[in-house]
Amino acid sequence: SRQLARKLNAAHAGDAKFVQAAYEQILTRAPRALEVALCVEFLIKQTAAITRLRAREKMVHALFNHHEFVTIR
């Protein structure tokens, strides 16, 4: 998750664009508007306590644990 977050972080400065890229890369779909809003809110809250990159790493890690990524269809 750290390597992917760093790669996406370098390519996407804005939080919403980062979230969109992470969803497309990990879940192979675009995020819904509510998902973008919740993820951006998470990133904003997290950056109050930790670095922006670390917050993005945590979000990517959470997406790797998302049922859409884990479940085999």
Side-chain angles (χ1 to χ4, degrees):
S1 61
R2 284 185 178 169
Q3 289 179 342
L4 180 57
R6 288 170 193 231
K7 176 184 169 187
L8 295 175
N9 186 60
H12 304 284
D15 285 338
K17 293 289 185 187
F18 176 86
V19 170
Q20 289 173 337
Y23 264 79
E24 290 171 4
Q25 188 77 31
I26 298 166
L27 301 179
T28 65
R29 68 169 178 85
R32 295 176 195 93
L34 179 59
E35 292 169 326
V36 173
L38 291 172
C39 287
V40 168
E41 181 182 343
F42 169 81
L43 292 172
I44 291 169
K45 287 180 180 179
Q46 289 294 306
T47 54
I50 58 177
T51 66
R52 182 178 184 183
L53 178 59
R54 184 70 181 124
R56 288 178 170 200
E57 290 171 359
K58 286 179 146 189
M59 194 206 85
V60 168
H61 186 79
L63 287 179
F64 278 132
N65 288 300
H66 194 278
H67 69 87
E68 287 181 45
F69 181 77
V70 176
T71 304
I72 299 173
R73 294 181 186 183

